[in-house]
Structure formats: structure tokens, C-alpha cells
Amino acid sequence: MSVVLRLMRAGAKKRPFYRVVAADSRRQRDGRFLEILGHYDPMRSPAELVLEKDQVQKWITKGAQPSTQVASLLRRAGMTWGNPSKPKKKAAAATSAKPAKKRAAPRKASARNTARKLARKKAGTKPAAPQASKQAAAAK
């Protein structure tokens, strides 16, 4: 089960109020959650953000990933967490581990297609476009 720290919407229509929750990543946005970690009210001036920092830190140390918006709110609250590791270079690792694959031989044209191409070359004509035949019929 992967845990995500995310916002759960509450409040009336056009009056949003959000709870910061720890939830299973597969659950709905406003569905079941594991724990409420705080709340965020963007309608207040200035916006109100209340977090239980020790609980948030506990979930992050357990491996919970904050959503983009929650990460922004945590930075605003002055909280930091470990920097994500740099992505590994797969191309460099693959070339050093095993040799490159050879490309498959190009497909051979069937005898039937080869015969058709030769017949067209001998005739010296390409198949007529549908518009050209309509214009010829209209001219007659």
C-alpha cells in the first residue's frame, strides 16, 4: 500500500476548505483516509494552514509521498524532507552490461508485389487519382 499526503476537499459549494490527510493512493480524493494531519483554508485572508508537524514527519519517514499541492504547503510551513534521488541512467548501464542488439534483416517483398511493381514500370503509368478520372469524365 503506497501512502500519499494529499488534500481532501470539504466545505460548501464555491467555499472550499481542505483537510491534509494521509491516504492510500488508490482511494478517491474524498474517500477513506488513514489520518487527518491538518487543514488548509484558502478563503481566509491570509490563507490559513494548520499542520501537526510531528505527524506529517512520521508519515514522511514511513515513506509517504506528498502530492504536489501538499508539498507546496509543507514548504510554506517551513518543513523539509529528503530530496528525491536522481534518476539512474538506463542507457549507460545497458550498454556496459550487454552488447547492443543487431537489427533484424529488412523484410523481403513477396513475389506477387514484386511482379506488380515490374508490371507498373513496364506500363509506365501510375494508378489514376480519383479526382483526375472525374475531371476526364466531366470533359467528355
Side-chain angles (χ1 to χ4, degrees):
M1 172 174 78
S2 58
V3 177
V4 178
L5 304 181
R6 66 174 166 217
L7 297 176
M8 181 175 125
R9 187 182 159 131
K13 182 178 178 181
K14 301 203 180 200
R15 302 281 303 161
F17 178 85
Y18 298 95
R19 288 189 176 135
V20 180
V21 297
D24 183 356
S25 64
R26 296 169 291 191
R27 293 276 174 200
Q28 298 173 359
R29 178 193 71 182
D30 298 336
R32 195 182 332 175
F33 55 89
L34 302 169
E35 186 176 4
I36 297 175
L37 305 173
H39 66 270
Y40 169 61
D41 188 358
M43 299 304 289
R44 292 229 175 145
S45 183
E48 179 185 15
L49 174 63
V50 177
L51 290 173
E52 293 180 25
K53 292 185 179 184
D54 56 329
Q55 293 297 95
V56 171
Q57 200 61 43
K58 180 187 89 169
W59 280 106
I60 289 175
T61 56
K62 285 183 177 181
Q65 294 294 315
S67 69
T68 309
Q69 186 61 44
V70 170
S72 174
L73 292 174
L74 292 178
R75 279 192 296 276
R76 188 188 304 177
M79 294 187 66
T80 58
W81 58 93
N83 292 333
S85 60
K86 294 181 181 177
K88 296 177 182 177
K89 295 182 181 178
K90 292 182 181 179
T95 56
S96 64
K98 39 186 164 171
K101 273 188 173 180
K102 286 187 176 181
R103 286 189 174 184
R107 292 177 64 181
K108 292 184 179 179
S110 67
R112 181 178 172 190
N113 286 343
T114 309
R116 282 184 181 172
K117 285 182 183 179
L118 287 173
R120 275 193 234 125
K121 276 188 179 180
K122 286 181 184 176
T125 59
K126 291 184 179 178
Q131 293 176 349
S133 61
K134 287 180 184 176
Q135 290 172 354
K140 289 183 183 179

